[in-house]
Amino acid sequence: MKEIERAGIAVVHVCTITPISMTVGANRIVPAIAIPYPLGDPKKDAGAEVTLRREIMDKALSALATPVSEQTIFE
């Protein structure tokens, strides 16, 4: 991840445990839902789950477009 950023390509780390992302040096961090289902929630109906996934991905795309100078968690 760090090497990709050094090459000038922005990277977003979507993760469930943000302190680990901080430890590994991720610059743009988007919190996910849960370890077994980072981008979804099987307890939700299909429509609600699609909405949830869209929200996380929209947050990640927004993070990609945001210049950062230090590690940032996008809530």
Side-chain angles (χ1 to χ4, degrees):
M1 190 170 8
K2 289 172 127 180
E3 291 302 317
I4 295 170
E5 292 233 353
R6 270 187 261 250
I9 301 169
V11 175
V12 175
H13 193 213
V14 178
C15 65
T16 55
I17 305 173
T18 57
I20 292 174
S21 296
M22 298 291 283
T23 301
V24 299
N27 286 326
R28 293 173 185 83
I29 303 165
V30 172
I33 303 303
I35 291 172
Y37 309 104
L39 293 176
D41 183 349
K43 295 177 186 167
K44 294 186 181 285
D45 64 59
E49 190 168 27
V50 166
T51 300
L52 176 64
R53 290 178 182 189
R54 168 72 81 178
E55 289 170 0
I56 294 169
M57 294 311 297
D58 285 346
K59 219 178 281 185
L61 289 171
S62 176
L64 274 176
T66 304
V68 296
S69 59
E70 60 185 30
Q71 290 180 302
T72 305
I73 297 176
F74 293 82
E75 296 291 339

